């Protein structure tokens, strides 16, 4: 039985002081008994939010990392730096990074390999554009993203990864995929993972849905057989996040 995992992606929001105040406000209301809960916060807020949630079961994640250990990469942060702070997760290949910062499937793969080597859990993002959905190539496209992301990752490491299926047309638009649409692609992600590894490995990898998840739609989405929780943007910065985490009531 896979444990659900619900991650808030705060994106480029809140100053460190605001982040601490928000984390302090929700930390005792978040129920971590039934799901793993992760707050993916801006880099400057990682240390203060880690301190704010210390003593709870809420984990902290970064929103990006570099695939090298160190070197002349101005402005970048390595997986080792994140791990040394106590960060446990890292979002990799979010569609906003692919679109605005030219991230590629190959780069996503390098980052995932490095994250795993440093003991971080990568949350590997994939998902189609509206045009691709209309062209009927969603499944083929997402399968290819997943295949490349997992190149050279061992089965043991793959089992630790989280995949976030996020249709780009549903991100920040208020247009959620229906539970059936989301389930169809999450099942296809699991199928490709079973082809790369084995049914057993695929069954242990958690696949999230992301894209306008809110307190009203979380239960229907997260109760689908192949959806193991969500990557939540806008609603993760609202008190509603608490409801999303306890989606079944
Ligand atoms: P959204 O963002 O929930 O605001 O649609 C999701 C994401 O980008 O991870």
């Amino acid at each position: 039985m896979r444990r659900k995992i619900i991650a808030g992606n705060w994106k480029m929001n809140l100053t460190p002081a605001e982040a601490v105040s928000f984390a302090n406000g929700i930390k005792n209301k978040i129920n971590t008994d039934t799901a793993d809960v992760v707050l993916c916060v801006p880099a400057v807020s990682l240390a203060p939010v880690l301190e704010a949630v210390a003593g709870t079961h809420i984990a902290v994640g970064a929103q990006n990392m570099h695939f090298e250990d160190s070197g002349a990469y101005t402005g970048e942060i390595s997986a080792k730096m994140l791990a040394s702070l106590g960060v446990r997760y890292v979002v990799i290949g979010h569609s906003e990074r692919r679109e605005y910062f030219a991230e590629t499937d190959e780069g996503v793969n390098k980052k995932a390999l490095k994250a795993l080597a440093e003991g971080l859990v990568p949350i590997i993002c994939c998902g189609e554009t509206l045009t691709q959905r209309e062209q009927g190539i969603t499944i083929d496209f997402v399968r290819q993203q997943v295949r490349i992301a997992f190149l050279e990752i061992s089965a043991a490491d793959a089992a630790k990864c989280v995949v976030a299926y996020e249709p780009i047309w549903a991100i920040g638009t208020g247009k959620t995929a229906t539970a059936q649409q989301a389930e169809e692609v999450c099942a296809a992600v699991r199928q490709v993972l079973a082809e790369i590894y084995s049914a057993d490995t695929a069954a242990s990898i958690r696949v999230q849905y992301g894209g306008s998840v809110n307190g009203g739609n979380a239960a229907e989405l997260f109760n689908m057989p192949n959806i193991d929780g969500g990557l939540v943007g806008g609603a993760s910065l609202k008190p509603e996040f608490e409801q999303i985490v306890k989606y079944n009531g």
Side-chain angles (χ1 to χ4, degrees), residues 149-179:
F150 279 85
L151 284 173
E152 290 180 36
I153 294 179
S154 68
D157 275 347
K160 300 174 196 158
C161 294
V162 175
V163 176
Y165 164 59
E166 298 203 305
I168 295 169
W169 49 271
I171 296 178
T173 57
K175 258 201 235 170
T176 319
T178 64

Side-chain angles (χ1 to χ4, degrees), residues 9 11 94 96 166 170-173 210-213 231-235:
N9 174 11
K11 308 193 181 185
H94 190 281
E96 287 151 14
E166 298 203 305
I171 296 178
T173 57
S212 300
V213 172
L231 182 57
V232 185

Side-chain angles (χ1 to χ4, degrees), residues 108-130:
V108 168
N109 175 239
K110 284 186 187 172
K111 290 182 181 193
L113 282 161
K114 182 57 76 174
L116 288 160
E118 293 300 332
L120 296 172
V121 174
I123 300 177
I124 299 170
C125 300
C126 58
E128 81 287 2
T129 62
L130 185 58

